Amino acid sequence: MSPVSSTTEPHGADPFGTARLRDSTLRAWQDSPTRLLEDTNVEHDLRVGAYRDRLFVELAQNAADAAMAVGQPGRVRVSLVDRELRFANTGAPLDARGVASLASLRASGKTGDTVGRFGVGFAAVRTVSDAPTVVSTSGGVVFSAERTRAAANIEGDVPVLRLPWPVAADVPAGFDTEVRLPLRDDVDGRALLDQLGDDIGDLLLALPWLAEADVDGRVWTRTINQDVVEIRGPQGETRWLTHRGDVVWAVPVDSDGVPKPLDEDVLHAPTPTDDGLSLPARLLATVPVEPSRRRALPGAELNKALENAAKEYVRLVRLLPPERRYALVPTPGFPKSTVDAKLRDEVLANLSVEPWLSTQDGGEVAGRQAKVLDVDVPGLSELIADVVPGLLKGVAPAGVLKAVAVQVISVEEVLETLTGVAREPSWWHDVYAALAKAVESHALASERLDGLPVPLSDGRTLPGARGCLLVEGSAELLELLSDVDIPGLRLVHPAASHPLLERLGAKQADARELLNADQLRDAVERSVEDVRSGLDGTTLAGAVLRLIADCGDDAPRWVGALALPATDTWRRADELVLPASPLIGIFDEEVFEEDGALDVLDEDFAEDWPDGTLKAAGILDSFAVVADDEPHEPDHDLPDEEAWWDSLPEPPSTLVAIRDLDLVADDAWPAALKLLAARPETLPALRAPRGHAAWWIAQYAVLGGLAPSEWRLPGADLAGLYDEVPDLGLSEELLETAGVRTDLALSSVDEAEDVLKRLADPDRTISTGLTTRAYDAVVESGFEPRPPEGVRAADGSVVDGALVLDVPWVAGALEPDQYVVAPEEPERLADLLDLPLASTEQATVTSEGEYAPWAELPALKLVADQLGIRLPEGGVLVHDPLTVSIQGAEHDVQWWSDGRLHAADTSEGLARAFAWAAERWPDRHLITALLDDPSPRTLLA
């Protein structure tokens, strides 16, 4: 290093005494050779270290201090002129103390609240320039590496900012000071301006005494509107909600004041440091910092400053509307610095104990006094505020608020609290609507709502929707149902009904589904007993009838048990008759007596309901039809049902029958039959094949004093056996349907017995053919009637005993009054009549006969050839005459069989024996004629 030498003052004034400053510095370097080296190293460290990227921050701080010094918001202008960066500002001009500060690497002239008035931070200019100049309305100074090397008589690196020289002041119009920085060749001036354009908004926020910045023609302005700092620039407007106290807290907001929390930031003291922060808002505070101003200086003073700053954070939060404050709660995460860790802890602690959270009742509480739901259910908090004290207003983020000690309560806890709470049903509907949105958005699982209270129509509120019924229908129906005490029937109050309840297990119930509810059925089935024990049955009766009306009159059978008012008491609906029903004149009078089978519905009550509804409830207007698609047992309460069931060859696949036929008065059957035929619901049951109605009427109805089955129609071929039905004003078709006979079909054992009695009646004249058909009908019926006291023999007479003719040859030995003819199943007829068979009667052939093979009888061979009959094997014993002894007497007969065939030597005898042997019995008469006259004429005749 060369010896230090003095310098010569330039021509002109030196208002700041720069010569003295230079001489003092040069002497110090001369007196202490190491001092020059120390200054060089310090400036180098500041240039490449602490202030390497703080050029504009430091210049802006100086500009803000200058503006504060005169009490007027300042302006700055930054421009690039011929590779010289110029930074102009308004405010207090440069003075001697300021120059001294500029020329000192270890001293600062700032006082009071100034941020950085020409202190060590001016060293930042060395990052871009070797010859910085500061001109002001009061004068100017220049620093120069070249002139410093010359003055110090040394080569190499020198401390540029230790030796100032006066320079002419030519400050641009409208400004008071300008810093001019000729840029080194390695510095990109345009890039510096672009960087400043990115940072200028933050600088205007941090430095409240700066109101405007012009960067190469681009202008930013700073204005304050109450608590909002608005910074307008070429790219738009930025707003910051700020709290200014001992520190400044600021958070970006949009045009509507909605906060836009910061994701990450740095501590501003008040200009940026390198201490990272993760708080949603920016902190600008005077805290102890290292000389480089890059880091907060650790220690008790810093901790105290951060604690105070945290206390003021709540005031920033309270500037926001209650529903927007949650955005300023720090979110969990790793701290970005030790300062961040300390500040976050203090902020969260203060938010836990200071009131800032708005509750549903309009108050404000601290975090640890507040409650929030564990799921986001918009609208629910407002509804349950008075039930859950301390519940926060609006949609509060539970996960965020846990950090400030807010008590998070589960939906299950809320439901438990709501159980037993008395509220209007419409209030519950609003609760369900709020919960439904959360379920639909999958924010809330429906399974968590199993215990949700549900208000019922009867005034109760029960936990859980499962098993409840959501009633569809008119308001009148719902009102009726609400007044009915039906244990177990959980009808949701209509004002509370909501689709959410169905999702939670409730069922939609229209009138039809309600009628099928087991609880309602139980109530109906015990309704008569309840009324007779003193309870009022009017409400239940009205509700059930309304349900029947609403479901289109299609009601289950059990509604017939419903208690309804009758003439003097209450009876089951299916034991009542409409006041205008024709049944009143058809049923026996005893039916309507006290304790009779039926009663008449109260007239006044009947006028309140349509006939269709009353009939659907089981009240009779006409005969009631009983239908069963799958009948398995005779359990339909029909008269003589078991007997009818037993008469069927197999159980019916379906059943359509008519009730109460046994209640018809004997003299009213013609009217009853007309009514049955006139009603479309009963006519099919009356006509059903093998149906109960026709079966019962045929046997038990009364027409002209007798059952229909005891009469015959005028054209029926049954004269003598049955009498012709009298004229009752009924058509033959209806009489036939009612069972008046057209044939001998028998439908019961009683009818079979009746036929046997009629045949045994000597006062009746019955033709031989009808007698035979009648006995055959009894046999074919399959019934087991009791044996009659007499039988009708083949001659039409009635005798006490006779043989049942089961073989034809015996008839030739007996008189017609000794046997009964039965062409079909004579053995069965003999059993029914308790008579012997003719074939069992002892008989002996007493005459001699000559055996003749069939082939040796020429006349028979000719007949066989004419008829195309193969001659049977064997032959016949021919007698002349043929005599048989039977019942102690001998008789001449034409033919006989006792294991062998016998025939009288006559055409008739031989013909019968041959027809029997050849199994051509029906041709016996033709064979007889051909034996007498074998000509073709006989065959053709």
Side-chain angles (χ1 to χ4, degrees), residues 463-512:
R466 195 170 304 281
C468 291
L469 299 177
L470 299 168
V471 181
E472 298 176 356
S474 65
E476 179 186 355
L477 169 62
L478 297 175
E479 183 178 352
L480 285 169
L481 290 171
S482 299
D483 293 337
V484 180
D485 182 15
I486 304 176
L489 188 62
R490 303 174 66 180
L491 302 178
V492 178
H493 195 287
S497 179
H498 191 278
L500 174 66
L501 297 178
E502 187 172 6
R503 186 166 185 168
L504 298 179
K507 293 182 179 181
Q508 288 287 351
D510 57 13
R512 192 178 312 280

Side-chain angles (χ1 to χ4, degrees), residues 133-170:
T133 299
V134 181
V135 296
S136 185
T137 55
S138 58
V141 295
V142 62
F143 300 89
S144 170
E146 182 180 355
R147 293 177 70 175
T148 299
R149 281 192 286 271
N153 193 22
I154 59 175
E155 296 295 331
D157 199 7
V158 293
V160 174
L161 298 181
R162 294 291 280 132
L163 302 180
W165 282 271
V167 70
D170 54 347

Side-chain angles (χ1 to χ4, degrees), residues 360 371 381-391 409 413-423 427-428 431:
Q360 293 294 339
K371 296 177 184 176
S381 298
E382 293 89 335
L383 292 168
I384 63 175
D386 57 338
V387 182
V388 185
L391 198 60
I409 58 176
E413 290 176 290
V414 171
L415 299 186
E416 185 176 351
T417 302
L418 293 180
T419 301
V421 170
R423 289 291 186 276
W427 180 86
W428 287 105
V431 169

Side-chain angles (χ1 to χ4, degrees), residues 870-884:
R870 176 179 295 182
L871 290 174
E873 296 292 333
V876 61
L877 289 169
V878 180
H879 296 258
D880 186 20
L882 174 59
T883 305
V884 176

Side-chain angles (χ1 to χ4, degrees), residues 11 80 92 102 200 293 465 662 717 756 785 794 823 907:
H11 296 288
L80 187 64
L102 292 174
I200 192 64
R293 299 189 62 80
D662 54 337
D717 187 15
L756 294 181
S907 298

Side-chain angles (χ1 to χ4, degrees), residues 38 60 84 166 169 224 308 319 329 333 376 392 456 485 509 516 519 524 528 642 686 695 730 825 832 850:
E38 291 174 358
E84 182 177 82
I224 299 177
N308 291 335
L319 291 177
V329 177
D376 182 9
L392 296 182
L456 304 184
D485 182 15
N516 288 317
Q519 298 86 346
V524 168
V528 172
E642 289 192 10
L686 185 64
W695 174 87
L730 302 175
E825 299 187 58
L832 293 177
E850 182 179 351

